[in-house]
Amino acid sequence: MTAVQTKTVFITGASSGIGYATARLFQDKGWNVVATLRKPEQAETLAALPRVLCLPLDVNDRASIHAAVEKAIAHFGAIDVLVNNAGYGLMGAFETLDEAQIIRQFDTNVFGLMETCRAVLPHFRERKSGALVNVASMVGRVPLPLYSVYNASKWAVEGFTEGLVYELCPLGIGVKIIEPGAVNTAFFGRSADRDNRTGVSTYDQYSKAQFGVMDKTGPGGSSPEDAAKVIYRAANDSSQRLRYSVGTDARMLLLARRWLPETLFRAMIRMSLSEKAFNSVGKLLYKS
Ligand SMILES: NC(=O)c1ccc[n+]([C@@H]2O[C@H](COP(=O)([O-])OP(=O)(O)OC[C@H]3O[C@@H](n4cnc5c(N)ncnc54)[C@H](OP(=O)(O)O)[C@@H]3O)[C@@H](O)[C@H]2O)c1
């Protein structure tokens, strides 16, 4: 009997939240894990686990991506699954955001993700196998107010990833999109970019009211472990299925987007984000 080869997953943004929980889950399931992080000092807990290799990787530093992929392959012999998870949310009315913030959002969420694909795909192609799992968001198909640029970055991830299906699936490479709704992570806190750098104050009142409501979705949303389970399921699903949502909010809103006429859908979003409606309807979607 031949021994079953231990599989290897390569994860970006493994320092916290969904990436960290995903690294823990794959490790728990017996996989080799390449947990990549921007700051090596955040690697301590993961690095102490067996079969986990922590490597520095900043998706805005192309050389660090290619170096990490090379080291991972040299260390474990192969990469079977790539989880493109690194990302953050730029939030606020569009006019309050300056160009540098917008460029950084796309550099991280879109171009960084593409470059990681560029680094790993030749390896998948050579082996005629592998799974690419891109963490997009529910807002990649259901845009929310004050997230215009973040919405756009995740729409880009959706379009990019769906387009890859036609190129990669015939080569034996699986392609998956993860669409989380609100997940209780640092996304809403330390990771968020909400600076008003242009000083436009017209939207202050609207922003204050909307963020007041939206900030409640994170703590009441899914756990990072819930998201990790969906990522694990997607990575191991050899079917042609492309999209996997995380959380009741994502499931309900994606369904509503599919079946409601556009104007009705937008009215529903506007209404459900009012303080009063959120306190009643929100209870159906979020834990608190
Ligand atoms: N939480 C949600 O509600 C939610 C919903 C839908 C989609 N998502 C998506 O899920 C993914 C993970 O977010 P999360 O919720 O787990 O938030 P998180 O806890 O803030 O994790 C974000 C991770 O991305 C990393 N990261 C950010 N910029 C990076 C860069 N330039 N290079 C490498 N790593 C970078 C962070 O590293 P540092 O520790 O160095 O900052 C961190 O490890 C993101 O793509 C996010 O857009 C989240």
Side-chain angles (χ1 to χ4, degrees), residues 19-41:
Y20 177 81
T22 302
R24 295 292 305 232
L25 181 63
F26 275 82
Q27 194 276 339
D28 221 36
K29 298 276 187 187
W31 286 55
N32 298 322
V33 176
V34 184
T36 71
L37 329 87
R38 274 198 288 196
K39 301 164 200 135
E41 65 271 19

mmCIF file with all atom_site columns, all heavy atoms in Angstrom, residues 19-41:
data_model
loop_
_atom_site.group_PDB
_atom_site.id
_atom_site.type_symbol
_atom_site.label_atom_id
_atom_site.label_alt_id
_atom_site.label_comp_id
_atom_site.label_asym_id
_atom_site.label_entity_id
_atom_site.label_seq_id
_atom_site.pdbx_PDB_ins_code
_atom_site.Cartn_x
_atom_site.Cartn_y
_atom_site.Cartn_z
_atom_site.occupancy
_atom_site.B_iso_or_equiv
_atom_site.pdbx_formal_charge
_atom_site.auth_seq_id
_atom_site.auth_comp_id
_atom_site.auth_asym_id
_atom_site.auth_atom_id
_atom_site.pdbx_PDB_model_num
ATOM 1   N N   . GLY A 1 19 ? -7.985  34.175 7.837  1.00 0.00 ? 19 GLY A N   1
ATOM 2   C CA  . GLY A 1 19 ? -6.743  33.513 7.411  1.00 0.00 ? 19 GLY A CA  1
ATOM 3   C C   . GLY A 1 19 ? -6.150  32.676 8.528  1.00 0.00 ? 19 GLY A C   1
ATOM 4   O O   . GLY A 1 19 ? -5.711  31.537 8.306  1.00 0.00 ? 19 GLY A O   1
ATOM 5   N N   . TYR A 1 20 ? -6.162  33.220 9.731  1.00 0.00 ? 20 TYR A N   1
ATOM 6   C CA  . TYR A 1 20 ? -5.623  32.499 10.895 1.00 0.00 ? 20 TYR A CA  1
ATOM 7   C C   . TYR A 1 20 ? -6.475  31.244 11.166 1.00 0.00 ? 20 TYR A C   1
ATOM 8   O O   . TYR A 1 20 ? -5.940  30.146 11.339 1.00 0.00 ? 20 TYR A O   1
ATOM 9   C CB  . TYR A 1 20 ? -5.611  33.428 12.112 1.00 0.00 ? 20 TYR A CB  1
ATOM 10  C CG  . TYR A 1 20 ? -5.132  32.758 13.374 1.00 0.00 ? 20 TYR A CG  1
ATOM 11  C CD1 . TYR A 1 20 ? -3.773  32.604 13.626 1.00 0.00 ? 20 TYR A CD1 1
ATOM 12  C CD2 . TYR A 1 20 ? -6.045  32.268 14.315 1.00 0.00 ? 20 TYR A CD2 1
ATOM 13  C CE1 . TYR A 1 20 ? -3.328  31.975 14.785 1.00 0.00 ? 20 TYR A CE1 1
ATOM 14  C CE2 . TYR A 1 20 ? -5.610  31.635 15.469 1.00 0.00 ? 20 TYR A CE2 1
ATOM 15  C CZ  . TYR A 1 20 ? -4.256  31.490 15.702 1.00 0.00 ? 20 TYR A CZ  1
ATOM 16  O OH  . TYR A 1 20 ? -3.826  30.856 16.841 1.00 0.00 ? 20 TYR A OH  1
ATOM 17  N N   . ALA A 1 21 ? -7.796  31.424 11.186 1.00 0.00 ? 21 ALA A N   1
ATOM 18  C CA  . ALA A 1 21 ? -8.692  30.290 11.460 1.00 0.00 ? 21 ALA A CA  1
ATOM 19  C C   . ALA A 1 21 ? -8.549  29.215 10.380 1.00 0.00 ? 21 ALA A C   1
ATOM 20  O O   . ALA A 1 21 ? -8.620  28.014 10.668 1.00 0.00 ? 21 ALA A O   1
ATOM 21  C CB  . ALA A 1 21 ? -10.144 30.777 11.540 1.00 0.00 ? 21 ALA A CB  1
ATOM 22  N N   . THR A 1 22 ? -8.319  29.644 9.148  1.00 0.00 ? 22 THR A N   1
ATOM 23  C CA  . THR A 1 22 ? -8.157  28.684 8.042  1.00 0.00 ? 22 THR A CA  1
ATOM 24  C C   . THR A 1 22 ? -6.858  27.892 8.213  1.00 0.00 ? 22 THR A C   1
ATOM 25  O O   . THR A 1 22 ? -6.836  26.673 8.021  1.00 0.00 ? 22 THR A O   1
ATOM 26  C CB  . THR A 1 22 ? -8.181  29.440 6.684  1.00 0.00 ? 22 THR A CB  1
ATOM 27  O OG1 . THR A 1 22 ? -9.417  30.159 6.591  1.00 0.00 ? 22 THR A OG1 1
ATOM 28  C CG2 . THR A 1 22 ? -8.065  28.494 5.510  1.00 0.00 ? 22 THR A CG2 1
ATOM 29  N N   . ALA A 1 23 ? -5.807  28.598 8.610  1.00 0.00 ? 23 ALA A N   1
ATOM 30  C CA  . ALA A 1 23 ? -4.527  27.908 8.848  1.00 0.00 ? 23 ALA A CA  1
ATOM 31  C C   . ALA A 1 23 ? -4.703  26.857 9.950  1.00 0.00 ? 23 ALA A C   1
ATOM 32  O O   . ALA A 1 23 ? -4.258  25.713 9.827  1.00 0.00 ? 23 ALA A O   1
ATOM 33  C CB  . ALA A 1 23 ? -3.451  28.922 9.232  1.00 0.00 ? 23 ALA A CB  1
ATOM 34  N N   . ARG A 1 24 ? -5.389  27.242 11.022 1.00 0.00 ? 24 ARG A N   1
ATOM 35  C CA  . ARG A 1 24 ? -5.609  26.314 12.153 1.00 0.00 ? 24 ARG A CA  1
ATOM 36  C C   . ARG A 1 24 ? -6.423  25.097 11.701 1.00 0.00 ? 24 ARG A C   1
ATOM 37  O O   . ARG A 1 24 ? -6.127  23.972 12.079 1.00 0.00 ? 24 ARG A O   1
ATOM 38  C CB  . ARG A 1 24 ? -6.368  27.007 13.297 1.00 0.00 ? 24 ARG A CB  1
ATOM 39  C CG  . ARG A 1 24 ? -5.654  28.145 13.982 1.00 0.00 ? 24 ARG A CG  1
ATOM 40  C CD  . ARG A 1 24 ? -4.468  27.713 14.776 1.00 0.00 ? 24 ARG A CD  1
ATOM 41  N NE  . ARG A 1 24 ? -4.698  26.705 15.775 1.00 0.00 ? 24 ARG A NE  1
ATOM 42  C CZ  . ARG A 1 24 ? -4.331  26.805 17.049 1.00 0.00 ? 24 ARG A CZ  1
ATOM 43  N NH1 . ARG A 1 24 ? -3.756  27.906 17.484 1.00 0.00 ? 24 ARG A NH1 1
ATOM 44  N NH2 . ARG A 1 24 ? -4.505  25.829 17.877 1.00 0.00 ? 24 ARG A NH2 1
ATOM 45  N N   . LEU A 1 25 ? -7.469  25.335 10.912 1.00 0.00 ? 25 LEU A N   1
ATOM 46  C CA  . LEU A 1 25 ? -8.350  24.234 10.510 1.00 0.00 ? 25 LEU A CA  1
ATOM 47  C C   . LEU A 1 25 ? -7.619  23.232 9.599  1.00 0.00 ? 25 LEU A C   1
ATOM 48  O O   . LEU A 1 25 ? -7.686  22.011 9.820  1.00 0.00 ? 25 LEU A O   1
ATOM 49  C CB  . LEU A 1 25 ? -9.600  24.780 9.803  1.00 0.00 ? 25 LEU A CB  1
ATOM 50  C CG  . LEU A 1 25 ? -10.603 23.713 9.356  1.00 0.00 ? 25 LEU A CG  1
ATOM 51  C CD1 . LEU A 1 25 ? -11.176 22.942 10.546 1.00 0.00 ? 25 LEU A CD1 1
ATOM 52  C CD2 . LEU A 1 25 ? -11.750 24.337 8.555  1.00 0.00 ? 25 LEU A CD2 1
ATOM 53  N N   . PHE A 1 26 ? -6.911  23.738 8.589  1.00 0.00 ? 26 PHE A N   1
ATOM 54  C CA  . PHE A 1 26 ? -6.189  22.823 7.696  1.00 0.00 ? 26 PHE A CA  1
ATOM 55  C C   . PHE A 1 26 ? -5.127  22.043 8.494  1.00 0.00 ? 26 PHE A C   1
ATOM 56  O O   . PHE A 1 26 ? -4.930  20.845 8.280  1.00 0.00 ? 26 PHE A O   1
ATOM 57  C CB  . PHE A 1 26 ? -5.520  23.598 6.543  1.00 0.00 ? 26 PHE A CB  1
ATOM 58  C CG  . PHE A 1 26 ? -6.435  23.857 5.363  1.00 0.00 ? 26 PHE A CG  1
ATOM 59  C CD1 . PHE A 1 26 ? -7.322  24.918 5.363  1.00 0.00 ? 26 PHE A CD1 1
ATOM 60  C CD2 . PHE A 1 26 ? -6.402  23.040 4.238  1.00 0.00 ? 26 PHE A CD2 1
ATOM 61  C CE1 . PHE A 1 26 ? -8.158  25.180 4.273  1.00 0.00 ? 26 PHE A CE1 1
ATOM 62  C CE2 . PHE A 1 26 ? -7.223  23.281 3.142  1.00 0.00 ? 26 PHE A CE2 1
ATOM 63  C CZ  . PHE A 1 26 ? -8.100  24.354 3.159  1.00 0.00 ? 26 PHE A CZ  1
ATOM 64  N N   . GLN A 1 27 ? -4.469  22.719 9.433  1.00 0.00 ? 27 GLN A N   1
ATOM 65  C CA  . GLN A 1 27 ? -3.449  22.055 10.246 1.00 0.00 ? 27 GLN A CA  1
ATOM 66  C C   . GLN A 1 27 ? -4.088  20.939 11.060 1.00 0.00 ? 27 GLN A C   1
ATOM 67  O O   . GLN A 1 27 ? -3.577  19.823 11.132 1.00 0.00 ? 27 GLN A O   1
ATOM 68  C CB  . GLN A 1 27 ? -2.772  23.096 11.151 1.00 0.00 ? 27 GLN A CB  1
ATOM 69  C CG  . GLN A 1 27 ? -1.484  22.640 11.801 1.00 0.00 ? 27 GLN A CG  1
ATOM 70  C CD  . GLN A 1 27 ? -1.718  21.846 13.092 1.00 0.00 ? 27 GLN A CD  1
ATOM 71  O OE1 . GLN A 1 27 ? -2.782  21.959 13.708 1.00 0.00 ? 27 GLN A OE1 1
ATOM 72  N NE2 . GLN A 1 27 ? -0.738  21.047 13.465 1.00 0.00 ? 27 GLN A NE2 1
ATOM 73  N N   . ASP A 1 28 ? -5.237  21.270 11.632 1.00 0.00 ? 28 ASP A N   1
ATOM 74  C CA  . ASP A 1 28 ? -6.001  20.318 12.433 1.00 0.00 ? 28 ASP A CA  1
ATOM 75  C C   . ASP A 1 28 ? -6.414  19.088 11.627 1.00 0.00 ? 28 ASP A C   1
ATOM 76  O O   . ASP A 1 28 ? -6.508  17.989 12.138 1.00 0.00 ? 28 ASP A O   1
ATOM 77  C CB  . ASP A 1 28 ? -7.279  21.047 12.882 1.00 0.00 ? 28 ASP A CB  1
ATOM 78  C CG  . ASP A 1 28 ? -7.623  20.745 14.304 1.00 0.00 ? 28 ASP A CG  1
ATOM 79  O OD1 . ASP A 1 28 ? -6.688  20.602 15.103 1.00 0.00 ? 28 ASP A OD1 1
ATOM 80  O OD2 . ASP A 1 28 ? -8.842  20.651 14.586 1.00 0.00 ? 28 ASP A OD2 1
ATOM 81  N N   . LYS A 1 29 ? -6.659  19.310 10.339 1.00 0.00 ? 29 LYS A N   1
ATOM 82  C CA  . LYS A 1 29 ? -7.108  18.216 9.451  1.00 0.00 ? 29 LYS A CA  1
ATOM 83  C C   . LYS A 1 29 ? -5.924  17.431 8.895  1.00 0.00 ? 29 LYS A C   1
ATOM 84  O O   . LYS A 1 29 ? -6.092  16.604 8.005  1.00 0.00 ? 29 LYS A O   1
ATOM 85  C CB  . LYS A 1 29 ? -7.924  18.787 8.284  1.00 0.00 ? 29 LYS A CB  1
ATOM 86  C CG  . LYS A 1 29 ? -9.187  19.512 8.698  1.00 0.00 ? 29 LYS A CG  1
ATOM 87  C CD  . LYS A 1 29 ? -10.331 18.555 8.912  1.00 0.00 ? 29 LYS A CD  1
ATOM 88  C CE  . LYS A 1 29 ? -11.632 19.298 9.154  1.00 0.00 ? 29 LYS A CE  1
ATOM 89  N NZ  . LYS A 1 29 ? -12.726 18.391 9.533  1.00 0.00 ? 29 LYS A NZ  1
ATOM 90  N N   . GLY A 1 30 ? -4.703  17.771 9.341  1.00 0.00 ? 30 GLY A N   1
ATOM 91  C CA  . GLY A 1 30 ? -3.537  16.981 8.951  1.00 0.00 ? 30 GLY A CA  1
ATOM 92  C C   . GLY A 1 30 ? -2.778  17.511 7.746  1.00 0.00 ? 30 GLY A C   1
ATOM 93  O O   . GLY A 1 30 ? -1.889  16.830 7.229  1.00 0.00 ? 30 GLY A O   1
ATOM 94  N N   . TRP A 1 31 ? -3.140  18.690 7.277  1.00 0.00 ? 31 TRP A N   1
ATOM 95  C CA  . TRP A 1 31 ? -2.440  19.254 6.112  1.00 0.00 ? 31 TRP A CA  1
ATOM 96  C C   . TRP A 1 31 ? -1.116  19.920 6.519  1.00 0.00 ? 31 TRP A C   1
ATOM 97  O O   . TRP A 1 31 ? -0.953  20.329 7.677  1.00 0.00 ? 31 TRP A O   1
ATOM 98  C CB  . TRP A 1 31 ? -3.308  20.348 5.463  1.00 0.00 ? 31 TRP A CB  1
ATOM 99  C CG  . TRP A 1 31 ? -4.480  19.847 4.680  1.00 0.00 ? 31 TRP A CG  1
ATOM 100 C CD1 . TRP A 1 31 ? -5.477  19.017 5.117  1.00 0.00 ? 31 TRP A CD1 1
ATOM 101 C CD2 . TRP A 1 31 ? -4.804  20.162 3.320  1.00 0.00 ? 31 TRP A CD2 1
ATOM 102 N NE1 . TRP A 1 31 ? -6.392  18.797 4.118  1.00 0.00 ? 31 TRP A NE1 1
ATOM 103 C CE2 . TRP A 1 31 ? -6.006  19.494 3.001  1.00 0.00 ? 31 TRP A CE2 1
ATOM 104 C CE3 . TRP A 1 31 ? -4.195  20.948 2.330  1.00 0.00 ? 31 TRP A CE3 1
ATOM 105 C CZ2 . TRP A 1 31 ? -6.606  19.588 1.750  1.00 0.00 ? 31 TRP A CZ2 1
ATOM 106 C CZ3 . TRP A 1 31 ? -4.797  21.040 1.086  1.00 0.00 ? 31 TRP A CZ3 1
ATOM 107 C CH2 . TRP A 1 31 ? -5.985  20.353 0.801  1.00 0.00 ? 31 TRP A CH2 1
ATOM 108 N N   . ASN A 1 32 ? -0.209  20.043 5.562  1.00 0.00 ? 32 ASN A N   1
ATOM 109 C CA  . ASN A 1 32 ? 0.910   20.979 5.704  1.00 0.00 ? 32 ASN A CA  1
ATOM 110 C C   . ASN A 1 32 ? 0.342   22.364 5.438  1.00 0.00 ? 32 ASN A C   1
ATOM 111 O O   . ASN A 1 32 ? -0.470  22.541 4.519  1.00 0.00 ? 32 ASN A O   1
ATOM 112 C CB  . ASN A 1 32 ? 2.002   20.731 4.655  1.00 0.00 ? 32 ASN A CB  1
ATOM 113 C CG  . ASN A 1 32 ? 2.614   19.355 4.775  1.00 0.00 ? 32 ASN A CG  1
ATOM 114 O OD1 . ASN A 1 32 ? 2.811   18.850 5.875  1.00 0.00 ? 32 ASN A OD1 1
ATOM 115 N ND2 . ASN A 1 32 ? 2.907   18.734 3.633  1.00 0.00 ? 32 ASN A ND2 1
ATOM 116 N N   . VAL A 1 33 ? 0.783   23.343 6.227  1.00 0.00 ? 33 VAL A N   1
ATOM 117 C CA  . VAL A 1 33 ? 0.241   24.692 6.075  1.00 0.00 ? 33 VAL A CA  1
ATOM 118 C C   . VAL A 1 33 ? 1.381   25.700 5.872  1.00 0.00 ? 33 VAL A C   1
ATOM 119 O O   . VAL A 1 33 ? 2.310   25.758 6.680  1.00 0.00 ? 33 VAL A O   1
ATOM 120 C CB  . VAL A 1 33 ? -0.577  25.099 7.329  1.00 0.00 ? 33 VAL A CB  1
ATOM 121 C CG1 . VAL A 1 33 ? -1.052  26.554 7.217  1.00 0.00 ? 33 VAL A CG1 1
ATOM 122 C CG2 . VAL A 1 33 ? -1.780  24.168 7.508  1.00 0.00 ? 33 VAL A CG2 1
ATOM 123 N N   . VAL A 1 34 ? 1.281   26.458 4.804  1.00 0.00 ? 34 VAL A N   1
ATOM 124 C CA  . VAL A 1 34 ? 2.187   27.589 4.628  1.00 0.00 ? 34 VAL A CA  1
ATOM 125 C C   . VAL A 1 34 ? 1.373   28.832 4.996  1.00 0.00 ? 34 VAL A C   1
ATOM 126 O O   . VAL A 1 34 ? 0.487   29.258 4.251  1.00 0.00 ? 34 VAL A O   1
ATOM 127 C CB  . VAL A 1 34 ? 2.716   27.688 3.183  1.00 0.00 ? 34 VAL A CB  1
ATOM 128 C CG1 . VAL A 1 34 ? 3.745   28.822 3.087  1.00 0.00 ? 34 VAL A CG1 1
ATOM 129 C CG2 . VAL A 1 34 ? 3.313   26.367 2.735  1.00 0.00 ? 34 VAL A CG2 1
ATOM 130 N N   . ALA A 1 35 ? 1.640   29.336 6.195  1.00 0.00 ? 35 ALA A N   1
ATOM 131 C CA  . ALA A 1 35 ? 0.893   30.497 6.699  1.00 0.00 ? 35 ALA A CA  1
ATOM 132 C C   . ALA A 1 35 ? 1.742   31.730 6.428  1.00 0.00 ? 35 ALA A C   1
ATOM 133 O O   . ALA A 1 35 ? 2.820   31.877 6.998  1.00 0.00 ? 35 ALA A O   1
ATOM 134 C CB  . ALA A 1 35 ? 0.638   30.339 8.192  1.00 0.00 ? 35 ALA A CB  1
ATOM 135 N N   . THR A 1 36 ? 1.264   32.592 5.557  1.00 0.00 ? 36 THR A N   1
ATOM 136 C CA  . THR A 1 36 ? 2.080   33.772 5.235  1.00 0.00 ? 36 THR A CA  1
ATOM 137 C C   . THR A 1 36 ? 1.501   35.015 5.910  1.00 0.00 ? 36 THR A C   1
ATOM 138 O O   . THR A 1 36 ? 0.287   35.155 6.045  1.00 0.00 ? 36 THR A O   1
ATOM 139 C CB  . THR A 1 36 ? 2.206   33.988 3.711  1.00 0.00 ? 36 THR A CB  1
ATOM 140 O OG1 . THR A 1 36 ? 0.952   34.422 3.182  1.00 0.00 ? 36 THR A OG1 1
ATOM 141 C CG2 . THR A 1 36 ? 2.659   32.721 3.003  1.00 0.00 ? 36 THR A CG2 1
ATOM 142 N N   . LEU A 1 37 ? 2.411   35.874 6.355  1.00 0.00 ? 37 LEU A N   1
ATOM 143 C CA  . LEU A 1 37 ? 2.014   37.067 7.109  1.00 0.00 ? 37 LEU A CA  1
ATOM 144 C C   . LEU A 1 37 ? 2.931   38.233 6.753  1.00 0.00 ? 37 LEU A C   1
ATOM 145 O O   . LEU A 1 37 ? 4.068   38.030 6.350  1.00 0.00 ? 37 LEU A O   1
ATOM 146 C CB  . LEU A 1 37 ? 2.119   36.865 8.626  1.00 0.00 ? 37 LEU A CB  1
ATOM 147 C CG  . LEU A 1 37 ? 1.908   35.492 9.239  1.00 0.00 ? 37 LEU A CG  1
ATOM 148 C CD1 . LEU A 1 37 ? 3.180   34.698 9.256  1.00 0.00 ? 37 LEU A CD1 1
ATOM 149 C CD2 . LEU A 1 37 ? 1.366   35.629 10.628 1.00 0.00 ? 37 LEU A CD2 1
ATOM 150 N N   . ARG A 1 38 ? 2.399   39.438 6.981  1.00 0.00 ? 38 ARG A N   1
ATOM 151 C CA  . ARG A 1 38 ? 3.232   40.629 6.724  1.00 0.00 ? 38 ARG A CA  1
ATOM 152 C C   . ARG A 1 38 ? 4.285   40.797 7.792  1.00 0.00 ? 38 ARG A C   1
ATOM 153 O O   . ARG A 1 38 ? 5.403   41.170 7.522  1.00 0.00 ? 38 ARG A O   1
ATOM 154 C CB  . ARG A 1 38 ? 2.347   41.884 6.743  1.00 0.00 ? 38 ARG A CB  1
ATOM 155 C CG  . ARG A 1 38 ? 1.709   42.173 5.450  1.00 0.00 ? 38 ARG A CG  1
ATOM 156 C CD  . ARG A 1 38 ? 1.246   43.572 5.401  1.00 0.00 ? 38 ARG A CD  1
ATOM 157 N NE  . ARG A 1 38 ? 0.084   43.839 6.242  1.00 0.00 ? 38 ARG A NE  1
ATOM 158 C CZ  . ARG A 1 38 ? -0.662  44.918 6.121  1.00 0.00 ? 38 ARG A CZ  1
ATOM 159 N NH1 . ARG A 1 38 ? -0.365  45.804 5.203  1.00 0.00 ? 38 ARG A NH1 1
ATOM 160 N NH2 . ARG A 1 38 ? -1.709  45.109 6.903  1.00 0.00 ? 38 ARG A NH2 1
ATOM 161 N N   . LYS A 1 39 ? 3.860   40.542 9.057  1.00 0.00 ? 39 LYS A N   1
ATOM 162 C CA  . LYS A 1 39 ? 4.777   40.821 10.175 1.00 0.00 ? 39 LYS A CA  1
ATOM 163 C C   . LYS A 1 39 ? 5.193   39.520 10.848 1.00 0.00 ? 39 LYS A C   1
ATOM 164 O O   . LYS A 1 39 ? 4.359   38.853 11.475 1.00 0.00 ? 39 LYS A O   1
ATOM 165 C CB  . LYS A 1 39 ? 4.081   41.723 11.203 1.00 0.00 ? 39 LYS A CB  1
ATOM 166 C CG  . LYS A 1 39 ? 3.623   43.050 10.598 1.00 0.00 ? 39 LYS A CG  1
ATOM 167 C CD  . LYS A 1 39 ? 2.609   43.763 11.473 1.00 0.00 ? 39 LYS A CD  1
ATOM 168 C CE  . LYS A 1 39 ? 1.817   44.784 10.665 1.00 0.00 ? 39 LYS A CE  1
ATOM 169 N NZ  . LYS A 1 39 ? 0.380   44.774 10.909 1.00 0.00 ? 39 LYS A NZ  1
ATOM 170 N N   . PRO A 1 40 ? 6.477   39.151 10.723 1.00 0.00 ? 40 PRO A N   1
ATOM 171 C CA  . PRO A 1 40 ? 6.938   37.866 11.280 1.00 0.00 ? 40 PRO A CA  1
ATOM 172 C C   . PRO A 1 40 ? 6.646   37.726 12.768 1.00 0.00 ? 40 PRO A C   1
ATOM 173 O O   . PRO A 1 40 ? 6.437   36.617 13.257 1.00 0.00 ? 40 PRO A O   1
ATOM 174 C CB  . PRO A 1 40 ? 8.452   37.899 11.035 1.00 0.00 ? 40 PRO A CB  1
ATOM 175 C CG  . PRO A 1 40 ? 8.681   38.958 10.016 1.00 0.00 ? 40 PRO A CG  1
ATOM 176 C CD  . PRO A 1 40 ? 7.542   39.909 10.060 1.00 0.00 ? 40 PRO A CD  1
ATOM 177 N N   . GLU A 1 41 ? 6.578   38.857 13.516 1.00 0.00 ? 41 GLU A N   1
ATOM 178 C CA  . GLU A 1 41 ? 6.336   38.757 14.966 1.00 0.00 ? 41 GLU A CA  1
ATOM 179 C C   . GLU A 1 41 ? 4.930   38.209 15.279 1.00 0.00 ? 41 GLU A C   1
ATOM 180 O O   . GLU A 1 41 ? 4.651   37.799 16.401 1.00 0.00 ? 41 GLU A O   1
ATOM 181 C CB  . GLU A 1 41 ? 6.572   40.108 15.665 1.00 0.00 ? 41 GLU A CB  1
ATOM 182 C CG  . GLU A 1 41 ? 5.619   41.239 15.295 1.00 0.00 ? 41 GLU A CG  1
ATOM 183 C CD  . GLU A 1 41 ? 6.092   42.057 14.076 1.00 0.00 ? 41 GLU A CD  1
ATOM 184 O OE1 . GLU A 1 41 ? 6.943   41.565 13.310 1.00 0.00 ? 41 GLU A OE1 1
ATOM 185 O OE2 . GLU A 1 41 ? 5.591   43.180 13.892 1.00 0.00 ? 41 GLU A OE2 1
#
